[in-house]
Amino acid sequence: MRHSFLILGVVGLMLAAVTTACAATQGQSDPDLIKRGQYLARLADCEACHTAPGGVPFAGGRPFAVPPMGTMYSSNITPDTQYGIGQWTDAQFVRSVRRGISPHWKHLFPAMPYQDYARMSPDDVLAIRAYIATVQPVARKVPSNTGIFQFNIIRPGMFGWDLFNGPSSSYPDDPKQSADWNRGRWLVEGPGHCAECHSPRTLTMGVSHRHAYAGAVTAGWLAYNLTSDPESGIGSWTDEALATYLTTGHADGHGTAAGPMAEAISYSLRFMTKEDAAAMVTYLRTIPAQPVKPPKKASDAFSPAALKHGEMLFAGACAGCHLENGIGRQVVSASIAGGHTLRDPDGLNLLQVLIEGSRLTTATGNADMPRFGAGYSDRDLADIAAYTMITLGGTQPAFDTDAVKAARKGK
Amino acid sequence: MLIQAAAARWRCPVTECEARQGQVLHKPSNRSFAFADLAEDAAKMPPPKNVPLKSAQDWTLIGRPRHRLDSRAKIEGRPLFGIDIRVPDMKHATVAACPVMGGTVGEIDRDAALRVPGVTDVLTIDNAVCVVADHYWAAKKGLEALAIVWREGANASVDTARIYRELHDGLSEAHPIVAQSQGDTTTAFDRADARFEATYQQPLLAHSTMEPINCTIHVRPDGADVWVGTQVPLRARDSVASISGLPKEKVHLHSQYIGGGFGRRLEHEYVIQAAQFARQVPYPLKIVWSREEDLMLDRFRPAYVDRVRAGLDHQGRVQSMEFRVVGPAVVARWAPEGLSPNGFDSDLGGGILETPYTYPASRLEFVRREAPGVVTAWWRGVGGTRGLFVVESFIDELAHRANADPVAYRRALIQGHPRARTVLDLAAEKSGWGTSLPKGHGRGVSVQFLFRSYLATVVEVDMSMPGQIRIVRVTVAADCGQPVNPDQIRAQIEGGVIFGLGAALFNEITLKGGRVQEDNFNLWRILRMNEAPQIDTHLVDSTETPGGVGEAGTAAAAPALANAIAAASGRRLRTLPLMPGVEAA
């Protein structure tokens, strides 16, 4: 997960329990187990976080910046015996994934969503282990954490954090619901760990259950409301549109996944079976609607001349792929007319995707949005965004050029 | 000689014969021969010592607008350029070289590349890898699959800040090269009623030609063929001969149209690279660089820092002018014999020594600071583009300090160059200089004598919207001597102005970790058609010796634009590119 969190001042007592762990090695070379493990590893989206940008899969080193506190780096989870997890026992692996405690009884930081992964059974986790054992070992040390995260002294505080926000165990299926619904709940709240991004945080920076899936801003990107609310959530989406979006990253009239969601689809969701995708949709449909945020006052930052400027820049820099009417040229991911992103007056994701760009990997290849942040000024980007939002999203912008500055910093 | 051949054949006086439209005509009898029919006879005749030139009133071609013969082929997309070459048995390839200068190939996953359908081979040299395939897309996918790990070397620590820091350090160099010294600038400066000093900074620039670097080459034991767009065919041929071990006469270079040169095709390192790969395989190899490779592995217009100091009298008129240029000497690498004995690259005199202005005392110093981490080269307008931004910005600042009109101030500085005054007056008149402007608008002017042509340029900008520069109109007056094709002159000036405006507004090559960061047009912005201003070009009717115009417009753009911005906003921008400076407001 890529969310910010505050460190509790609670210094919890570390449990002094000593458990002798006997590694169960049976099944490590079982092809069916490995295949199931690969599927589960994809569901859990392990690769996205444990791979540095442009780096070797699972070799770690991806930065998680939490300004101003510092930066954490994901660990190397390849089978390498020196820098990876090659020497971990199965019990140690299970404890890390499901309880957030590393082999040396260090509490992991919740950037690793162990509180969600706890819903996976130990057998599920061991299947993932079996798959990761087949990954190329990489003898590469990841960068050390910086800021407060370089000091192990704060790790015991995670014990206290875990008390409030920590992992729950697997729970039984709800007999009143269908098998599909139960499978969907497991997918969404377990390995899919959707709430980590799509739910707002509590005071202790844990996932809010009162406003579950009501939407939140994560690393500068708005993770949308997934509740069944027809206006701000997914209530007006068809099942087909939802399933298509989840498995390909695009749905006509709704837009194309970008940023962290594009990553989730590229590394994870697109590998779901049709049955699992349908189950996920079934569950998402039943998340209670959360009230609509009151609409913001439209911005006065965009004069007719500014919109004319935005139109000119759109024609030059955007219309080549998106076309003037936004229906896109040649590939569906270029279709943006009416998109969800264009109907958020704050323009959070619109500005982010303009500045940072995005890559979405599908079964037919990569769909790339280039980054324009370093080539265009704040004024340029604000005007492009405003023009696009008004023209193709039918929405009056509520942001200004300061929002561009803020978005640049958010990356 | 053709006329003589015809007269001999007709046995008549040469005065009765006239050459026109590819034929020699016998006026009394209306008989004619085509030039081709006479060529063989003419070739046997001794060349005449004194050739009478046709008088201007008899000209039918020179001075009249003509369509280019190749316009139709270009519009129709016919295969004219190097990238269009197709030869039998040719294979397609693309390359990646270490993005850090001086680095070498570390690890590649050769097998992964070969698994890409269509990929047939992977070739390596010390600093680059080439993937060969049946078509470009397969080669590109194969190159990605290589997952190259580079050994980056010492330049991995180079960043843009270091480049600029080293240039600024050069301003305090105690022993500069003195390129020119006239009069006693030190005394004049010390005795001046007033003094003014300013420092200007210009960035690394890429050529960003429309046609990316490409070369098709076939190296065989008995000879080699090279199909390439180059401005230095003999250099390229000699290098291929050297690499392949073949004698020069066995290497045939088939020079092709260039899809934009701007100085990039004065380099031929890409031909060397191609030859190093091609000698490893028996078939013709067509190497095309990706856009990313073309931008990141360019040879860049150097970054420079210039300081100018002037001593002024009580009315603000120049008494002494001192220039210090800090930056690379491109000629030292490209043609070392072109460096002066004391180490000066005369190209750096463009705009400073080559100028319509006269100063009572002047001095030009050069501090050579070669750029770390990049190879530097010439770029459109060469030293003139670089120097003119400095001079014309500074003159404008002096005019402002003197409370003088920028046009009038320049006119007074122009001595002994009446043609410069003519173009300055013409540009002022045609641009409406002195007439009122809407709020937020401004006009800027620049005058130049470069490439033996005179230009004066006025740019009008609209800065009424905060953070935005809209170029309303550009007016150019040009005296390039006797025009040959006026339409072509206008086209070249317009093209140069557009090129120069885009670079001045947006462009800077930056380095981080030794790597160029601008890898495509989302980050390296080009002025687009819908952003282009109206450009009015007025040609002076002249019979002087023709000068160059292909690069003159480029040089004019940045100073006229910076001066217009100063007039519109009151803010003097001394660092290029200009747009970031505006945003910083």
Side-chain angles (χ1 to χ4, degrees), chain A residues 140 303 305-307 309 311-313 315-317 366 370-380 383 405, chain B residues 107 141 144 149 465-470 506 517-519 521-526 528 530-532 579 583 585:
Chain A
R140 194 171 297 176
S303 64
L307 295 177
H309 177 232
E311 178 182 17
M312 182 188 73
L313 293 176
N366 292 324
R371 58 195 170 103
F372 289 90
Y376 288 74
S377 69
D378 291 350
R379 176 90 250 165
D380 293 333
D383 290 355
K405 289 183 168 58
Chain B
E107 303 157 28
K141 301 306 284 184
E144 288 174 18
V149 176
M465 177 177 300
Q468 190 186 337
I469 302 169
R470 185 171 70 89
F506 308 127
Q517 299 297 292
E518 292 72 25
D519 60 1
F521 293 118
N522 52 317
L523 304 180
W524 180 261
R525 197 166 156 185
I526 301 288
R528 292 180 182 258
N530 63 341
E531 296 169 289
M579 188 66 95
E583 195 61 32

Side-chain angles (χ1 to χ4, degrees), chain B residues 534-562:
Chain B
Q534 173 187 337
I535 303 176
D536 302 315
T537 304
H538 305 275
L539 301 185
V540 173
D541 195 9
S542 173
T543 56
E544 300 279 356
T545 303
V549 293
E551 301 177 84
T554 306
L561 176 58

Side-chain angles (χ1 to χ4, degrees), chain B residues 483-501:
Chain B
V484 175
N485 184 345
D487 271 3
Q488 186 60 25
I489 294 166
R490 287 193 177 85
Q492 290 195 298
I493 288 175
E494 287 168 6
V497 166
I498 294 289
F499 195 87
L501 287 175

